[in-house]
Amino acid sequence: MVEQNDRIRIETERSPIAKSPGGKKTRSVAGQVFVLQVAVVLLLVLGAILALVLESRRASDAEARNRSVAVAETFAHSPGLLAALKSPDPTAILQPLTEATRGPAGVDFIVVMNTHGIRYTHPLPDRIGKPFVGTIGPSLAGRVYTESVYGPLGHEVQAIVPVKAPDGSVVGLVSAGLKVKNVTTTDNRQLPVIFGAGAAALAVATTGTALVARRLKRQTRGLGPAEMTRMYEHHDAVLHAVREGVVIVGQDGRLLLVNDEARELLGLPADAEGRHLRELRDLDPGTAELLLSGREATDEMHRCGGRLLAVNQRPTDRHRGAMGTVATIRDSTELLALSGRAEVAGNRLALLYEAGVGIGTTLDVVRTAEELARVAVPGLADFVTVDLADPVLQGDEPTGTGMDLRRVTVNGIREDHPFYPPGRLIAFVPSTPQARGFGSGRSQVVPDLSVAHGWQVQDPEWTRRIIEYGVHSLITVPLAARGIILGVANFWRSQKPEPFDDEDRSLAEELVTRAAVSVDNARRYTREHAMAVTLQRSLLPRALPAQSALDVAHRYLPAQSGVSGDWFDVISLPGSRVALVVGDVVGHGLHAAATMGRLRTAVHNFSALDLPPDELLGHLDELVDRIDQEETDSGTGTGVTGATCLYAIYDPVSRLCTIATAGHPAPALLRPDGSVDFPELPIGPPLGAGGMPFETAQVHLAEGTQIVLYTDGLVEDRTRDFDIGMELLRQALLSHQDRQPEENCQAVVDDLLPARPQDDVALLIARTRVLGADRVAEREVPSDPAAVADVRAWAAATLDEWDLADLAFGTELVLSELVTNAIRYGSPPVRLRLLRDRGLTCEVSDGSSTSPHLKYAASTDEGGRGLFMVAQLTRRWGTRYSSQGKIIWAEQPLPASATGLDEKANPNGNESQNGKEPPGRLR
C-alpha cells in the first residue's frame, strides 16, 4: 500500500493535471487514499486488539492446562514416588511435598491419589481420604487427561497423569491444576495493558505507516518468505514453550536462541548465541550431548552447576523436519534430595546391563560362575561365592536330596578372604541359608550374620573368622533353571555398612536368574559334548593290531568346537601285509561321528575280502551314496555332506605300498636319507561323488621309510593356505629319519597345531620293515599231479630249517590239498610261497580267477573234503586276487617253541599300542 501511494504520488507529480487547477482533484484522491490507509490501519489495530484479547484468554487457558500437565507429569515421574505409594502411610510422605511444591510450581493444588481415586494429598486437609472430583478413566488407561470441573476449590482446570510401575502398570494418579478465577483474573489484569498498547499502536501507525512501509524491505535486510517463516516458527516455539528456560539449537549444533533464565540455569556466557555447543566449555557435558543429539526427551534429569534440571526437548518442526530442536528447562533442585534414589536405580540398571553382556560368554560352567561373581563385585556385594552340585560340573542334573555342593569360585574386593576356597566340597546343614534356599528354591536374606545361629552351626570356626573379618550380611539365591536347582550363589557384604534389603534381594535374584540360564546351557553343552566325544572315541581304534610290517604311532586331536568325523585305522592282512587307512567326514557333531563309525566298519568288512585299494574305495563310494539315498528318502535330510579316504597296503616282502585315494591329501614319505617327498597319486573324487573310477599307485619303499598319513585339519587353517601347511609338514619331518614314529608324531603336532585346534586332526606315522629272505621260501610247481610229493618234501625240509618241524605234518596236508586244486582246476603258472612271521602262512597262486568254495561232503561222496580239512588244520584261510590270477592262502599259528626264535629275528620291534607287547615280535 505504501508503494502504491508513492507510485500514485509520483504519477500525479508527472501528470499535467498536477500542474493545473485540476491538481486539487489529484491531491483529493491522494488524500482519500491516505484516509483509506488510515481506516485500514485503524481496522487492523482494532482487529489486533480483539485478537490479543482473545489470544490472551486462550493463551492463559492453554498456559493453565500446560502448566497443570507439566507439574503433574514432573511430580508423577519424581524419584521415590513409587516407594511412597507403597509405604504404609503415603499421606505423611507426600502431603508436605505437594504443599511445598505447588506454590513454586505456579499451581493451586497437587493431588496424589490411588487407582480408585482416593486422595492422599490436597490443599484442604479435610479432603484427604475422599474421592477425587474428576475423570480418572483415561489416566487409568495410561493417558494424560485435562478437564475443567467444579471441585472443592471451585471452578478448576486440572490435569490427571498416571503413575506407572517399571512393568508399565498404573499404580497411582497425580492431578495438578489452577482455579479458573485466577486464570480469569490474570486475563482481566492484561486488558488495560492491551487497550493502552492498542491506542498507542494506532497513534504510531497513523503517523508512521508510510515510513514503515517504505523502509520495510531495508529493515528486513532482504529476507525472503522462507527466512521470515523460519523466524516466525522460532519465535512461535518460544512463545508456546514453558516459562522457565528456552534453548533453540540449529541443525548444525549452533545455539540459535537462549533466554535469560536458560542462560542462568546452564551457566552460559553472554555471547553464547551463535556459537557451537562444543565451544561452550562451561556447559554440562551430559546436557550438551542431549542438545546436540536432537532426540526427543521428556523430563530428563541433568545435574548442572549444583542444580537438578528437568529438560524437555522436541523438534522445532512438528513434522520432524531438520530445522533443529527447542528445549525447555525447569529448575527441579527441590527434588535433589530424591535424586539419590534415581542414581541408585541407574547404577543397578547399569549393573544389569553389564550382567547381560558379561555373563554367559562361554559354554563353560565354571567360567559362567566366575563371570557372575565378577559382575556382582563391588556393585552389589563385597564378596561373592558360588557353590554347584557335583553332577552339574559333569554336565548332569543334580540327583538326590543331599546338600553336598562344591565351591567353584570366590571373588571379592580383597584376596585375603576368609571363605572356603574353590574346589572344596561343602555339606551344608539344614539350618543354613544355603540349605534352605537350595531346598525351597527361594532366596534367603540374613541382615546380621552375628546373630544368625543357624548359619553359625555349619562350621563355628570358619563362621567366627568370617564375622571377625567384617562380613555382616548375606543373600543366598538358588541357581534354578527349568525348575532344576543347580546350586546357590552367596552375596556377602563387609565394607558397606548397611545390610542387604529387599531391593538388593531383587537385584541379586535378577543377576542369578540370568546366570542360571547360562550355567544350565553350559551344563547341557558339557553333557552333549562328553557324549559325542565318548561316541567318537568308541568308534576309533582303541588298540592297533599286532603286526611285524610297520612300527606305528598315531595322534587324534578333537576339534575345539566339538567332535568331527576324522578317523584312522591299521588293519592286518594275510601274507604279513598291513593296510593303513585315514579318512575325514565333513562336518561336526554326532552325525559326523556316527557316519565315521559306519565308514570305518565298512572298511574293516571290505578289507576282510582282501580287495585291492581301488576296489575297496569303489565299494565305499557305493555305500556312501546308498546312505545319502536312504536318508534322503526318509526325509531326515542328514546325509553324508562329504567324505574323503586314503587306503594303502604295505607288503613287507616286496616292499611295495599300493595306494588309492578318494579326495584325500597324499601322504608324506620320510626317506631313510632324511628327505621328504609327497608322491604323485591319481586323486579320485570324494566318497559319494561318483562318476569317476578310483585308481591305484605303487610306491617302492626302502626299509625304514616313514609313511605319514593325516587329515586336512593338520595342514589347513583359517590363517594359512594348504600349500603353506604342506611345507610346514615337510620342514617338521625333514632330516629327522633317526627319530621314532612316536617322536615324529609329537614334533609334527607341536610345530603345526595350536593348543586348541579348530578342526579334528588324525595323524598316523608308520615306519616300514622288511620280511627278510630267511623268512620267505618260494618255488614254482609244475602242472603235474606227481609234483605234489616233491612239494611236500620241500616244505618239510624248509620247516626243519626254520625249526618248525612240529608244523610239518599239518603243513604237508594243507599244501597237498592247495597244490592239487591249483594243478587240477587252475591254470599255470603255479607258485608256492611259505612266510614265517607271527604265524606260518602257505600261499599257492595260479593264473586262474576261479575261487574254490568250502562245502560239506556227503558220506557217499568221493571228494569235496579238501578245503574242509584245510579249514580244520589252519587258523584261517582265504583267497585274494591279483592281476596274474588268484592266491589261496592258509595261516597256522606258530608253536610256543618258535617264539624265542622270532624275537631274535626282530630285536628292534617297537612296543604295541597297549604297551605290553612289541608288535614286531611273536606271541
Side-chain angles (χ1 to χ4, degrees):
M1 184 179 298
V2 175
E3 293 179 354
Q4 181 181 0
N5 189 24
D6 292 341
R7 185 166 57 252
I8 293 173
R9 180 179 55 81
I10 294 172
E11 289 177 354
T12 26
E13 289 176 353
R14 294 179 179 178
S15 174
I17 301 176
K19 300 179 181 179
S20 65
K24 294 181 179 180
K25 183 178 181 179
T26 303
R27 285 193 296 269
S28 176
V29 172
Q32 292 176 359
V33 171
F34 179 77
V35 172
L36 180 61
Q37 290 179 344
V38 172
V40 170
V41 170
L42 177 60
L43 291 176
L44 290 176
V45 170
L46 292 177
I49 292 174
L50 180 60
L52 285 175
V53 172
L54 297 178
E55 177 62 18
S56 175
R57 293 186 178 276
R58 188 192 67 81
S60 298
D61 184 72
E63 170 64 17
R65 293 180 182 270
N66 291 340
R67 186 182 307 172
S68 300
V69 171
V71 172
E73 284 188 334
T74 300
F75 203 91
H77 293 88
S78 297
L81 180 59
L82 290 177
L85 290 175
K86 295 179 182 178
S87 65
D89 190 1
T91 299
I93 300 174
L94 297 176
Q95 176 69 6
L97 291 177
T98 56
E99 289 304 299
T101 303
R102 66 185 181 88
V107 295
D108 293 325
F109 64 91
I110 298 177
V111 176
V112 183
M113 69 198 86
N114 61 16
T115 54
H116 299 288
I118 302 302
R119 301 188 187 97
Y120 290 139
T121 66
H122 196 274
L124 303 177
D126 59 333
R127 300 294 180 170
I128 296 175
K130 296 182 179 180
F132 174 73
V133 178
T135 304
I136 63 173
S139 299
L140 291 176
R143 300 194 304 272
V144 176
Y145 183 74
T146 60
E147 61 180 355
S148 178
V149 298
Y150 287 89
L153 301 180
H155 192 190
E156 302 167 350
V157 175
Q158 61 184 12
I160 303 99
V161 176
V163 180
K164 296 184 179 179
D167 60 356
S169 62
V170 177
V171 298
L173 302 173
V174 175
S175 175
L178 296 90
K179 293 183 288 186
V180 174
K181 68 178 183 178
N182 291 341
V183 179
T184 307
T185 301
T186 302
D187 295 342
N188 294 336
R189 288 197 301 266
Q190 293 176 352
L191 288 178
V193 177
I194 293 174
F195 284 110
L202 177 60
V204 173
T206 55
T207 58
T209 300
L211 294 176
V212 171
R214 186 176 299 173
R215 298 173 59 91
L216 179 61
K217 202 70 173 180
R218 183 170 52 185
Q219 289 176 347
T220 58
R221 299 184 180 180
L223 292 178
E227 289 81 3
M228 293 296 294
T229 302
R230 185 173 304 156
M231 289 180 60
Y232 172 80
E233 290 174 347
H234 290 168
H235 286 282
D236 186 71
V238 172
L239 292 175
H240 293 84
V242 293
R243 64 179 178 83
E244 286 83 1
V246 178
V247 174
I248 297 180
V249 180
Q251 184 184 5
D252 59 354
R254 294 187 178 277
L255 193 59
L256 300 181
L257 184 144
V258 56
N259 64 357
D260 295 338
E261 184 71 15
R263 183 179 288 108
E264 180 181 355
L265 292 176
L266 299 177
L268 300 177
D271 59 345
E273 291 187 1
R275 296 172 60 183
H276 198 280
L277 288 177
R278 299 191 186 279
E279 300 176 2
L280 304 175
R281 302 300 181 185
D282 297 333
L283 184 60
D284 174 64
T287 308
E289 185 276 332
L290 171 62
L291 297 176
L292 286 172
S293 66
R295 59 183 174 85
E296 294 188 3
T298 301
D299 287 335
E300 189 168 314
M301 308 304 293
H302 288 266
R303 288 192 176 185
C304 185
R307 289 188 173 96
L308 188 64
L309 304 181
V311 183
N312 291 271
Q313 182 166 270
R314 294 291 186 273
T316 57
D317 182 7
R318 66 176 184 176
H319 301 294
R320 301 299 188 268
M323 296 180 63
T325 56
V326 56
T328 59
I329 304 169
R330 294 192 311 276
D331 187 358
S332 301
T333 309
E334 65 273 9
L335 300 178
L336 187 59
L338 300 177
S339 64
R341 292 183 176 272
E343 183 177 359
V344 172
N347 293 336
R348 295 190 174 185
L349 287 175
L351 184 61
L352 291 176
Y353 173 78
E354 184 180 355
V357 300
I359 298 178
T361 60
T362 65
L363 289 173
D364 184 87
V365 174
V366 176
R367 181 69 178 276
T368 303
E370 292 173 349
E371 291 170 346
L372 168 62
R374 185 171 59 252
V375 166
V377 175
L380 174 61
D382 297 322
F383 294 92
V384 175
T385 61
V386 180
D387 308 319
L388 298 177
D390 262 345
V392 175
L393 300 175
Q394 309 301 324
D396 300 323
E397 295 181 356
T399 57
T401 58
M403 266 305 300
D404 293 345
L405 301 179
R406 191 171 299 278
R407 179 145 294 173
V408 295
T409 185
V410 179
N411 185 48
I413 57 177
R414 294 173 57 183
E415 295 293 335
D416 57 335
H417 58 78
F419 304 102
Y420 290 136
R424 178 163 177 169
L425 187 64
I426 309 171
F428 289 104
V429 298
S431 62
T432 60
Q434 291 83 356
R436 295 198 304 269
F438 189 87
S440 64
R442 296 189 296 271
S443 58
Q444 307 290 320
V445 178
V446 184
D448 190 354
L449 290 173
S450 62
V451 296
H453 302 293
W455 170 72
Q456 296 176 8
V457 172
Q458 172 67 35
D459 190 334
E461 177 62 25
W462 279 90
T463 54
R464 181 185 60 81
R465 292 173 55 187
I466 291 174
I467 293 175
E468 291 177 352
Y469 187 83
V471 178
H472 59 82
S473 188
L474 165 67
I475 296 179
T476 294
V477 183
L479 284 99
R482 300 183 300 108
I484 302 171
I485 301 179
L486 310 174
V488 294
N490 307 294
F491 301 85
W492 311 82
R493 182 167 285 180
S494 62
Q495 188 175 20
K496 300 177 181 179
E498 63 274 9
F500 287 117
D501 54 21
D502 288 339
E503 292 186 1
D504 296 322
R505 181 211 295 257
S506 176
L507 179 59
E509 289 175 348
E510 179 69 21
L511 293 176
V512 173
T513 298
R514 300 188 182 195
V517 174
S518 299
V519 168
D520 187 56
N521 290 338
R523 176 193 65 81
R524 290 190 288 175
Y525 170 79
T526 301
R527 180 188 60 191
E528 295 173 1
H529 183 71
M531 292 172 55
V533 170
T534 301
L535 171 63
Q536 186 176 34
R537 291 194 180 277
S538 68
L539 297 176
L540 290 171
R542 299 186 179 182
L544 300 183
Q547 45 81 30
S548 303
L550 298 168
D551 293 334
V552 179
H554 62 85
R555 291 286 188 279
Y556 173 76
L557 286 83
Q560 176 184 0
S561 59
V563 297
S564 186
D566 292 16
W567 94 93
F568 65 90
D569 219 332
V570 178
I571 305 172
S572 295
L573 298 177
S576 298
R577 296 168 304 132
V578 178
L580 301 175
V581 190
V582 64
D584 184 5
V585 176
V586 176
H588 293 82
L590 292 176
H591 179 69
T595 303
M596 175 269 290
R598 298 173 71 175
L599 296 183
R600 179 172 176 260
T601 302
V603 170
H604 269 272
N605 293 334
F606 292 144
S607 64
L609 301 176
D610 214 344
L611 299 174
D614 55 339
E615 293 186 20
L616 184 142
L617 291 182
H619 289 294
L620 204 62
D621 179 71
E622 293 177 0
L623 173 64
V624 171
D625 185 66
R626 188 162 58 252
I627 292 174
D628 282 339
Q629 186 62 38
E630 291 174 355
E631 296 189 353
T632 301
D633 293 342
S634 65
T636 59
T638 55
V640 182
T641 56
T644 64
C645 183
L646 185 146
Y647 188 84
I649 298 177
Y650 173 69
D651 188 346
V653 178
S654 63
R655 295 183 292 176
L656 286 178
C657 185
T658 306
I659 308 173
T661 176
H664 203 84
L669 300 178
L670 174 58
R671 305 286 183 176
D673 60 357
S675 62
V676 178
D677 63 273
F678 300 90
E680 294 289 339
L681 303 178
I683 304 297
L687 297 175
M692 295 291 292
F694 298 98
E695 301 180 42
T696 60
Q698 289 187 333
V699 182
H700 190 275
L701 302 178
E703 185 175 9
T705 301
Q706 296 191 34
I707 310 171
V708 182
L709 304 178
Y710 52 90
T711 55
D712 58 1
L714 180 69
V715 294
E716 281 187 327
D717 191 81
R718 296 178 181 176
T719 60
R720 66 176 181 234
D721 293 334
F722 180 80
D723 294 339
I724 297 177
M726 297 288 283
E727 180 59 25
L728 292 176
L729 175 61
R730 190 182 73 83
Q731 293 295 333
L733 297 171
L734 192 63
S735 300
H736 289 296
Q737 72 279 6
D738 55 336
R739 289 193 306 208
Q740 297 293 327
E742 182 69 27
E743 297 173 336
N744 272 329
C745 265
Q746 191 60 46
V748 168
V749 169
D750 293 342
D751 291 351
L752 272 73
L753 295 179
R756 303 184 70 181
Q758 298 293 327
D759 194 8
D760 278 20
V761 175
L763 175 63
L764 185 67
I765 299 181
R767 183 170 57 187
T768 62
R769 292 180 177 177
V770 175
L771 204 62
D774 58 333
R775 305 174 63 140
V776 180
E778 57 182 337
R779 57 165 292 178
E780 291 190 3
V781 179
S783 298
D784 184 1
V788 174
D790 184 43
V791 167
R792 296 177 61 161
W794 173 81
T798 301
L799 295 180
D800 284 338
E801 183 180 349
W802 288 349
D803 293 332
L804 298 176
D806 293 345
L807 299 179
F809 178 75
T811 303
E812 291 179 15
L813 291 178
V814 170
L815 289 178
S816 295
E817 178 61 27
L818 296 182
V819 172
T820 300
N821 284 341
I823 294 174
R824 180 177 300 175
Y825 303 110
S827 58
V830 178
R831 294 188 61 82
L832 170 63
R833 186 170 72 168
L834 297 178
L835 302 175
R836 180 173 64 87
D837 190 11
R838 306 183 70 85
L840 179 64
T841 303
C842 305
E843 296 181 349
V844 177
S845 63
D846 66 86
S848 171
S849 299
T850 304
S851 175
H853 297 281
L854 177 66
K855 66 178 182 178
Y856 295 93
S859 58
T860 58
D861 291 344
E862 295 183 359
R865 299 176 178 84
L867 288 180
F868 180 79
M869 180 181 63
V870 170
Q872 295 300 312
L873 293 174
T874 61
R875 180 166 56 190
R876 55 178 183 163
W877 72 279
T879 305
R880 73 174 181 269
Y881 297 93
S882 65
S883 58
Q884 293 80 25
K886 69 175 181 297
I887 300 174
I888 309 298
W889 57 270
E891 184 179 312
Q892 304 175 71
L894 296 181
S897 59
T899 304
L901 296 175
D902 193 72
E903 288 178 351
K904 294 179 182 179
N906 294 284
N908 298 322
N910 67 316
E911 295 292 329
S912 68
Q913 298 303 314
N914 57 18
K916 298 180 179 180
E917 178 189 16
R921 303 177 184 177
L922 297 178
R923 294 184 182 274

